[in-house]
Amino acid sequence: MAVAARWRRSVEAGMADPALLFHDPSDRDGTHVLLIGIGDYPWLEDGADYDPALHDDNAMGMGQLAAPATSIRRLADWFLDSQGFDNAERPLASLAMLLSEPTPARYDHPRAKPAARVPRGTVADVEKAVEAWVERASGRRGNALVFAFCGHGLQSGNPVLLCRDYGRSRQNRFKGAIDFEQFRIALSTRQPDQQLLLVDACRTPDAEAELLGQATPGNPLLSIFSLAGRDSAPAQQSVHFATSLYTPAWGRADGATLFNDALLAALTGGGADQTAEWWVTTSRLHSALATYLARISSQEGIVQRPAAQTQDFRICKPERIAVPLYITANEPDIWKEEVWIDAMRGGALAHSFTYKPPAGTGNPGATPCALRLVNPTQRVRDVIYGVSARFAAASRFSATPEEIIAYPPEVTCELRVSKQP
């Protein structure tokens, strides 16, 4: 009776939560998601309320961000799409969102609350959304939690995440911030056994902390509970940071963050574990993130390496696993002309790609990701491909087909190319 009463209270709390976009009140284990994207910071550089004479010290060179809103929307789409999040053991039970954009944000999706205007991500908004999210999820010990934050961050003893109203108080700028480490510890004392935390923010040092000592500022959002209700053991947590300690995380001015690109690729199959029946697991998620971020950041001419504090559990099981295929060749001159790449599976054409050399460039050395191999299953016949290259009739090149096995997170294939004199 007590469990049922708590569940009814969690449903009622969910209905009153303005951040809640999707809620399934079914009486079963489920996954409860909270997504936070903070890009509009009124009291940082170029913000609507920014005055250099008043706010420059607190801003520390930080300004407005475009990537968080795009990244969080993409992640929400993946959780809600029919071909996205798939976990039969813990299906999606709720999804809540906060977005800070220059104008109040809306989020539209067929499974979301119609034309919902979402809270803007002040620390008070976040605190209210976290309380409702934890209340919804704590009705069942077997539930899972997902927390994702994308925005500005600092390292001030511990990670500090900046909400929309960071810097509003000139005398207490961290009044608008989250003490992530204390929040994480407090969250681990709550009921849900499996907790996935994704932090897509910089971890650069706070200049003030360097001068005044390693004090961690910010709102912990939750109090630490006794572990007596959890058999004296904290929850399983897997914490994934977009970047390593004291380094920046990068986003595109007209798109998502690099971490978001890598994360979605990992969740759609890159993090699938053969030994766990092809579930995406938290440990394989981290290895896939490291693989994808290394390649993405290298293409952008920067370095970004993810970090993690992980305990292993299953996140989702994609119906079809996507594996990127990268093509190289022993004869780099082939990339100076048009090349047709084919991937055959079971004697039939499964994927194809046409490479066209960029105008005005020399030898690029290798293609970008030529093919994204999507396998209906992971049976042997579905992961073995024959990769071949075709050239124009007047070309001097020919290539020998190569056989590859397309296991995640990615696969490379070097073409053996011959050249006519």
Side-chain angles (χ1 to χ4, degrees):
M1 292 296 292
V3 172
R6 286 200 302 272
W7 183 251
R8 284 196 297 272
R9 286 199 299 272
S10 74
V11 173
E12 292 166 2
M15 294 174 63
D17 179 11
L20 187 64
L21 300 179
F22 171 85
H23 188 215
D24 179 358
S26 301
D27 188 12
R28 61 183 179 185
D29 292 344
T31 299
H32 295 266
V33 179
L34 176 60
L35 308 177
I36 303 172
I38 311 295
D40 179 58
Y41 288 90
W43 292 275
L44 297 187
E45 291 183 7
D46 299 320
D49 297 303
Y50 176 73
D51 183 336
L54 299 176
H55 304 118
D56 187 60
D57 287 345
N58 286 349
M60 297 186 295
M62 294 182 292
Q64 309 307 301
L65 301 172
T70 300
S71 300
I72 289 299
R73 281 191 168 92
R74 291 177 71 196
L75 192 52
D77 288 346
W78 179 79
F79 273 107
L80 291 168
D81 285 349
S82 59
Q83 297 299 316
F85 178 71
D86 191 351
N87 185 329
E89 297 174 352
R90 295 174 175 85
L92 184 66
S94 72
L95 185 143
M97 178 192 291
L98 300 96
L99 284 179
S100 172
E101 296 181 301
T103 58
R106 293 183 180 275
Y107 174 74
D108 295 306
H109 191 280
R111 296 182 69 194
K113 187 166 59 178
R117 178 175 290 183
V118 298
R120 302 190 72 181
T122 65
V123 72
D125 291 335
V126 173
E127 190 172 37
K128 182 176 181 179
V130 164
E131 182 177 355
W133 168 64
V134 169
E135 184 71 25
R136 285 191 298 273
S138 292
R140 301 182 70 91
R141 176 78 176 264
N143 284 337
L145 288 178
V146 178
F147 172 88
F149 177 92
C150 185
H152 278 305
L154 296 169
Q155 191 74 19
S156 186
N158 287 319
V160 180
L161 309 181
L162 307 188
C163 297
R164 185 175 188 268
D165 49 345
Y166 168 82
R168 179 176 185 174
S169 171
R170 293 173 55 206
Q171 305 305 322
N172 183 11
R173 59 192 168 109
F174 286 109
K175 187 177 181 179
I178 300 167
D179 180 341
F180 177 75
E181 182 64 9
Q182 290 303 306
F183 165 66
R184 180 196 68 77
I185 293 170
L187 192 62
S188 73
T189 68
R190 297 313 199 264
Q191 276 300 321
D193 274 329
Q194 297 183 356
Q195 303 180 3
L196 175 64
L197 290 82
L198 307 166
V199 180
D200 192 356
C202 293
R203 303 177 73 188
T204 50
D206 173 20
E208 185 172 290
E210 291 180 336
L211 295 174
L212 302 179
Q214 297 297 304
T216 302
N219 187 332
L221 302 176
L222 296 170
S223 298
I224 297 175
F225 279 9
S226 168
L227 288 176
R230 287 198 46 84
D231 303 323
S232 299
Q236 285 185 291
Q237 284 188 335
S238 188
V239 186
H240 299 262
F241 295 97
T243 190
S244 51
L245 195 60
Y246 304 128
T247 57
W250 297 90
R252 300 180 178 86
D254 59 350
T257 64
L258 274 60
F259 180 76
N260 186 254
D261 283 352
L263 176 63
L264 289 173
L267 290 172
T268 56
D273 186 350
Q274 181 184 8
T275 65
E277 299 178 337
W278 296 109
W279 281 75
V280 174
T281 63
T282 51
S283 59
R284 288 301 297 267
L285 175 69
H286 176 61
S287 63
L289 286 171
T291 298
Y292 293 151
L293 268 176
R295 186 178 291 276
I296 295 169
S297 61
S298 176
Q299 291 170 350
E300 298 288 343
I302 57 176
V303 175
Q304 182 173 331
R305 299 187 181 98
Q309 304 164 3
T310 185
Q311 293 178 291
D312 198 33
F313 55 85
R314 303 192 297 194
I315 302 170
C316 60
K317 188 174 185 180
E319 182 178 348
R320 302 192 304 167
I321 293 176
V323 180
L325 166 64
Y326 294 90
I327 308 292
T328 61
N330 65 313
E331 179 57 72
D333 283 347
I334 69 169
W335 307 121
K336 294 180 180 179
E337 59 184 70
E338 198 167 29
V339 184
W340 290 268
I341 306 291
D342 296 328
M344 308 292 290
R345 184 178 64 215
L349 180 65
H351 305 278
S352 62
F353 173 80
T354 301
Y355 173 82
K356 295 183 179 181
T361 64
N363 173 26
T367 70
C369 177
L371 299 168
R372 196 160 183 261
L373 306 177
V374 180
N375 301 319
T377 74
Q378 284 297 303
R379 292 191 295 267
V380 172
R381 68 171 181 267
D382 289 327
V383 298
I384 297 177
Y385 288 83
V387 179
S388 60
R390 294 179 287 113
F391 303 91
S395 175
R396 296 180 298 160
F397 299 111
S398 60
T400 303
E402 299 289 335
E403 186 174 89
I404 62 163
I405 299 176
Y407 280 160
E410 67 178 29
V411 60
T412 60
C413 176
E414 182 178 58
L415 295 173
R416 290 178 292 173
V417 176
S418 301
K419 181 170 64 173
Q420 299 289 337

